[in-house]
Amino acid sequence: MVVMGIRAFRWLPYRGQRHAIPDSMAANDVGNTLCGVDVTVPHDPPPRSPDGCWPTCWSCDAAWREFEGIPAFPRPRQAGDAPRTTVGGRS
């Protein structure tokens, strides 16, 4: 739940993606991302993505949205996803 513009989580670039971590985590704190990855918050800012912004971890995004009551964002198709079907079962 968001209280007066305060968010419970923030984004941290880690292992090539933007993961959500509790906003209370400070430099050198050990904890977990919303998707369950063990992380130590770096003292220095992580390097910037060469493309501007690290890709979002979809599991963290889904957990954050559920926590804040925000509708789910459609996840882009990934290699290995089952084919999507339309009405009548045709793809």
Side-chain angles (χ1 to χ4, degrees):
M1 173 181 282
V2 178
V3 177
M4 296 178 56
I6 298 172
R7 299 226 181 245
F9 305 98
R10 63 186 167 93
W11 293 102
L12 176 73
Y14 186 70
R15 293 187 182 171
Q17 292 185 311
R18 291 181 333 129
H19 289 274
I21 61 170
D23 192 51
S24 60
M25 289 181 69
N28 300 319
D29 282 351
V30 177
N32 294 93
T33 64
L34 287 184
C35 69
V37 173
D38 294 332
V39 65
T40 300
V41 177
H43 181 268
D44 296 320
R48 294 189 63 78
S49 168
D51 298 322
C53 188
W54 293 105
T56 300
C57 168
W58 291 103
S59 295
C60 282
D61 183 70
W64 186 342
R65 287 170 181 272
E66 181 177 341
F67 179 84
E68 294 198 10
I70 300 169
F73 190 80
R75 182 177 68 90
R77 288 192 55 144
Q78 308 252 330
D81 282 353
R84 293 185 181 160
T85 58
T86 59
V87 175
R90 295 185 184 151
S91 46

